[in-house]
């Protein structure tokens, strides 16, 4: 049983930034910060299946790809890396790359990595605040400059680089060709409303990501029977004994907690292992748990609020 105000690990990157406000009050002295990793606070706690991060970019990141579970295990790793990005802020003209403009054979992909033409073959798209982008393992991708995003991913740091803008780091041609789905991406399924307070943004085998929008001065019950991460992106709330404001995260597993929402309401991201949204995770004060045990497709479509067992 655990309810923890997540600790923050600072990861410095040359493509990061020097001012993290309003997402963090950490004093960024020295090298720029590219990532904040949210971690459990207890030293000997079990390692969660998911990793929650904030990324800050002043330059484009490398064009890269991650392995799926099968390939990762074939090289002795516990799992692959599927991820998703929620755009928290984006400068005018900010963009990300997802997939390729056309399908390449393994031989053509290898040649494009060697001569650098892969940079012109990636499919770039503009992004804006509130966008959600799903990046399945095997998808060639990149994050451009001028973006702040929340990343939810399988807990893995295995990355194969295809292009790195002359940064003189190693490229991973053989592995990248082996794991890449070297073509355009499939259209994403749109967000789906679960209740008036909860919208499923991503539903995948590895994780579910919800946007939660809790009204001002409301009270909720959170019942999480599996690991659940909550990241505050607007407003304030108190979860158990933990005060949350923008950029704070809470980890909860095998426990129940109350949520008291502040005078300005609270919007946040909530993530937990997939494959399906759990209908009974968040319950408004005074509501009955009559929907507990329903499948996601049976979730109420009106203003009814349900308990969610994440």
């Amino acid at each position: 049983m655990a309810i923890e105000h997540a600790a923050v690990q600072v990861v410095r990157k040359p493509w990061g930034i020097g001012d993290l406000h309003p997402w963090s009050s950490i004093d960024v002295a020295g090298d720029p910060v590219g990532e904040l990793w949210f971690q459990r606070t207890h030293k000997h706690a079990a390692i969660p299946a998911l990793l929650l991060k904030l990324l800050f970019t002043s330059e484009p990141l490398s064009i890269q790809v991650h392995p799926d579970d099968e390939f990762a295990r074939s090289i002795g790793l516990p799992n692959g890396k599927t991820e998703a990005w929620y755009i928290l802020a984006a400068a005018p003209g900010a963009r990300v790359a997802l997939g390729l403009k056309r399908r390449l054979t393994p031989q053509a992909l290898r040649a494009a990595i060697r001569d650098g033409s892969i940079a012109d073959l990636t499919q770039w798209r503009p992004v804006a605040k509130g966008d959600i982008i799903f990046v399945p393992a095997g998808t060639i991708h990149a994050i451009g400059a001028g973006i702040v995003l929340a990343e939810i991913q399988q807990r893995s740091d295995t990355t194969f680089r295809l292009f790195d803008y002359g940064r003189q780091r190693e490229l991973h041609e053989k592995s990248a060709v082996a794991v890449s789905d070297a073509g355009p991406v499939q259209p994403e399924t749109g967000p789906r409303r679960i209740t008036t307070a909860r919208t499923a943004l991503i539903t995948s085998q590895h994780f579910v990501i919800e946007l939660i929008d809790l009204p001002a001065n409301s009270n909720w019950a959170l019942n999480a029977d599996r690991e659940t991460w909550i990241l505050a992106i607007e407003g304030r709330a108190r979860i158990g004994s933990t005060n949350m404001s923008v950029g704070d995260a809470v980890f909860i597993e095998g426990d129940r907690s109350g949520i008291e929402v502040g005078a300005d309401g609270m919007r946040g991201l909530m993530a937990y292992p997939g494959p399906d949204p759990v209908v009974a995770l968040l319950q408004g004060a005074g509501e009955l748990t009559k929907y507990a045990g329903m499948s996601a497709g049976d979730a109420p479509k009106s203003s009814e609020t349900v308990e969610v067992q994440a």
Side-chain angles (χ1 to χ4, degrees):
M1 299 176 66
I3 303 175
E4 302 169 8
H5 191 180
V8 178
Q9 176 183 343
V10 175
V11 181
R12 298 184 183 273
K13 298 285 187 179
W15 43 259
I17 65 175
D19 183 2
L20 306 183
H21 292 89
W23 308 104
S24 175
S25 60
I26 292 173
D27 182 16
V28 182
D31 294 335
V33 171
E35 303 180 4
L36 298 178
W37 292 23
F38 293 99
Q39 306 281 16
R40 296 196 59 181
T41 55
H42 297 299
K43 184 177 180 180
H44 300 294
I47 298 174
L50 304 181
L51 177 60
L52 170 64
K53 301 178 181 178
L54 297 183
L55 273 68
F56 309 86
T57 69
S58 62
E59 301 174 11
L61 279 62
S62 62
I63 297 174
Q64 56 188 240
V65 68
H66 306 302
D68 63 12
D69 290 344
E70 182 179 3
F71 185 91
R73 288 165 185 155
S74 76
I75 60 173
L77 300 173
N79 55 263
K81 183 178 176 183
T82 285
E83 62 188 276
W85 311 324
Y86 183 87
I87 306 299
L88 296 168
R95 59 183 191 157
V96 301
L98 201 66
L100 302 182
K101 296 174 181 177
R102 57 184 175 85
R103 183 157 295 281
L104 300 181
T105 65
Q107 295 78 13
L109 178 59
R110 186 175 295 110
I113 296 171
R114 290 178 179 176
D115 65 17
S117 62
I118 188 67
D120 298 318
L121 294 172
T122 51
Q123 183 65 60
W124 290 87
R125 62 173 73 176
V127 289
K129 178 181 177 181
D131 288 349
I132 183 77
I133 299 102
F134 182 50
V135 189
T139 303
I140 295 172
H141 63 276
I143 301 171
I147 295 173
V148 179
L149 63 81
E151 178 176 298
I152 294 91
Q153 58 160 95
Q154 288 179 274
R155 185 169 288 269
S156 167
D157 200 30
T158 304
T159 295
F160 302 133
R161 285 188 294 271
L162 294 80
F163 183 82
D164 201 31
Y165 300 95
R167 295 188 179 110
Q168 304 303 312
R169 293 188 297 177
E170 179 185 5
L171 301 182
H172 307 99
E173 176 189 315
K174 181 178 179 181
S175 294
V177 171
V179 306
S180 291
D181 179 4
V185 298
Q186 298 297 316
E188 299 172 14
T189 301
R192 178 160 56 90
R193 183 65 64 88
I194 300 176
T195 71
T196 54
R198 300 171 58 207
T199 300
L201 300 177
I202 297 292
T203 301
S204 76
Q205 173 186 353
H206 299 294
F207 51 73
V208 175
I209 302 174
E210 297 185 21
L211 179 67
I212 57 174
D213 196 349
L214 308 182
N217 301 312
S218 58
N219 290 280
W220 302 79
L222 176 68
N223 178 17
D225 65 3
R226 70 189 73 172
E227 73 171 78
T228 300
W229 294 89
I230 298 178
L231 171 71
I233 59 176
E234 293 180 18
R236 294 176 180 271
R238 184 178 180 86
I239 299 182
S241 60
T242 298
N243 291 316
M244 294 187 71
S245 57
V246 172
D248 287 329
V250 164
F251 174 86
I252 179 171
E253 181 176 34
D255 217 328
R256 301 185 180 206
S257 178
I259 303 178
E260 301 175 19
V261 183
D264 296 323
M266 196 275 275
R267 284 169 64 88
L269 298 176
M270 182 163 63
Y272 49 90
D276 299 312
V278 183
V279 179
L281 177 59
L282 210 55
Q283 180 188 5
E287 293 287 335
L288 299 176
T289 60
K290 60 182 178 179
Y291 299 106
M294 276 187 174
S295 67
D298 294 329
K301 304 299 191 295
S302 67
S303 60
E304 295 167 308
T305 306
V306 302
E307 177 183 345
V308 184
Q309 297 173 345

